[in-house]
Amino acid sequence: MKSTLLTKSLSFTNPDFGCKPEERHIEEYISNAVINLDKTSGPTSHEIDAWVKRILHCEKTGHSGTLDPKVTGVLPVGIDNATRAIQLLLSAPKEYVCLMNLHKEVPEEDIRRVFNEFTGKIYQLPPVKSAVKRELRARNIYYSTIYEINGRDVLFRIGCESGTYVRTYCHNIGEALVVGAHMAELRRTQAGSFNEKNNLVTLQDLTDAYYFYKEDGDESFLRETLMPMEVVADHLPKIIVKDSAVDAICHGADLASGGVSKLSDNIQKNSLVVIESLKGELIASGNALASSNEILESQSGFVVETSSVYMKPGVYPRLWK
């Protein structure tokens, strides 16, 4: 659900400091960019990182939400400064299209009944080969839509909480149907605000765009291929701060009530929020110490405990002691 911005204090930004993310100089644009990459079947996610690094001649790259080698689809990759910010996507909802193969034929009504039962809160045991501790944990399935049933093959789309294992989901459905099942093919179609309709590009697209920039001096294709790192926070509630508060936060300070200009209406106490400038620049993220209404009414005190800083100090003037 899209949030609405509430105004706590009407503020204006100084054009001499910072800039809108899409207006950054091309070199700064690249080093603060993310790619909505269409991963192919075969390479690991870490191999994709290495290839992007080689194509753009950047210092470092990093992805969010590792995909197995055979899995295709949306793989957000951060460049240089954006490699830390892209971790904000780890908690974002995910969506997949999956082809599941049942080990024996089952009446269609039974398949649809079990899929309905596997919607909402479910419990999963991560697979043996996983990066997390192997213990039973709850995950939310927001929707699970069957597109086609052809014999023992079931094609479906699933929207789920981060950390859901679709391979395990298929295995558990097979167990519930008492016939067994396995995941035959999987494609990720969405991770947070990254999806197949939002500037999805291939490694070849990236290579061509960088060539036009370096050889012909045309940066337009590169700007279309890359996106400002700020998009990684689109799924999170935000607090927009005054220019006077920016540099203190860049030095790791917590956000005080007096520095707030605008805020999302869906902030809950102890939830993750992002802090942005009036120009839309991503400054930091942290833990909300109060709800939206409480922040609006507060006259003093801290409202966000800063945990990660993404903007370098000195972009805005130092107005604190």
Side-chain angles (χ1 to χ4, degrees):
M1 184 176 178
K2 196 76 174 179
S3 63
T4 301
L5 280 180
L6 307 173
T7 300
K8 177 176 173 64
S9 175
L10 189 61
S11 307
F12 300 94
T13 182
N14 189 331
D16 294 336
F17 306 104
C19 77
K20 294 180 180 179
E22 64 273 14
E23 295 177 359
R24 290 173 177 138
H25 181 272
I26 187 59
E27 293 297 334
E28 185 183 5
Y29 187 86
I30 294 172
S31 63
N32 290 277
V34 293
I35 309 167
N36 187 15
L37 196 70
D38 189 355
K39 181 188 174 297
T40 56
S41 178
T44 67
S45 297
H46 292 289
E47 286 176 323
I48 296 291
D49 289 345
W51 291 341
V52 170
K53 182 179 177 180
R54 193 176 306 134
I55 291 168
L56 295 179
H57 301 281
C58 55
E59 293 183 4
K60 56 183 176 178
T61 54
H63 64 270
S64 176
T66 300
L67 293 178
D68 290 342
K70 291 184 179 180
V71 179
T72 67
V74 173
L75 181 69
V77 178
I79 304 165
D80 289 341
N81 299 334
T83 55
R84 291 182 66 247
I86 204 165
Q87 300 308 309
L88 290 170
L89 282 171
L90 287 176
S91 61
K94 308 294 191 299
E95 182 188 79
Y96 301 87
V97 170
C98 177
L99 178 64
M100 179 182 70
N101 179 256
L102 297 170
H103 298 168
K104 292 181 181 180
E105 288 202 20
V106 179
E108 184 173 320
E109 59 268 24
D110 289 348
I111 297 173
R112 295 187 181 278
R113 173 181 55 78
V114 170
F115 263 80
N116 287 334
E117 292 173 357
F118 276 73
T119 304
K121 181 180 285 189
I122 66 169
Y123 292 89
Q124 285 192 329
L125 186 67
V128 176
K129 293 183 178 180
S130 63
V132 299
K133 186 176 181 180
R134 198 161 187 259
E135 59 184 11
L136 197 66
R137 56 185 190 172
R139 284 295 178 267
N140 286 305
I141 306 299
Y142 306 121
Y143 53 86
S144 188
T145 306
I146 295 176
Y147 283 155
E148 184 179 355
I149 300 175
N150 184 5
R152 293 187 297 157
D153 291 328
V154 181
L155 181 66
F156 65 96
R157 184 182 296 270
I158 179 172
C160 52
E161 182 181 355
S162 177
T164 302
Y165 287 93
V166 183
R167 188 184 304 276
T168 302
Y169 183 83
C170 292
H171 174 77
N172 292 345
I173 284 181
E175 285 187 327
L177 289 168
V178 201
V179 296
H182 68 273
M183 184 185 80
E185 294 182 35
L186 184 68
R187 178 174 178 81
R188 185 158 66 194
T189 53
Q190 186 170 351
S193 56
F194 292 76
N195 57 58
E196 292 184 305
K197 298 179 181 179
N198 181 21
N199 205 29
L200 188 67
V201 301
T202 64
L203 286 170
Q204 188 60 57
D205 294 331
L206 184 63
T207 302
D208 291 344
Y210 192 75
Y211 174 85
F212 287 128
Y213 163 56
K214 281 298 183 180
E215 298 299 323
D216 300 338
D218 184 353
E219 61 187 55
S220 61
F221 294 103
L222 197 55
R223 286 187 179 274
E224 291 174 4
T225 304
L226 306 177
M227 295 184 288
M229 67 177 182
E230 282 70 14
V231 299
V232 304
D234 282 352
H235 65 289
L236 292 169
K238 63 182 63 177
I239 295 181
I240 298 172
V241 300
K242 304 172 183 177
D243 286 7
S244 57
V246 175
D247 195 63
I249 298 170
C250 290
H251 282 84
D254 294 336
L255 174 61
S257 172
V260 178
S261 176
K262 300 179 181 179
L263 65 154
S264 298
D265 64 351
N266 60 342
I267 296 173
Q268 297 180 353
K269 188 175 181 179
N270 295 323
S271 65
L272 178 65
V273 295
V274 293
I275 302 172
E276 294 186 355
S277 72
L278 287 163
K279 297 183 181 70
E281 302 151 295
L282 180 61
I283 303 169
S285 61
N287 179 54
L289 301 176
S291 66
S292 296
N293 288 336
E294 290 170 336
I295 295 173
L296 274 177
E297 296 172 1
S298 64
Q299 300 298 317
S300 62
F302 293 104
V303 295
V304 176
E305 182 182 15
T306 303
S307 57
S308 298
V309 177
Y310 311 112
M311 180 183 283
K312 295 179 180 178
V315 176
Y316 282 76
R318 176 170 178 163
L319 300 175
W320 52 282
K321 296 181 179 180

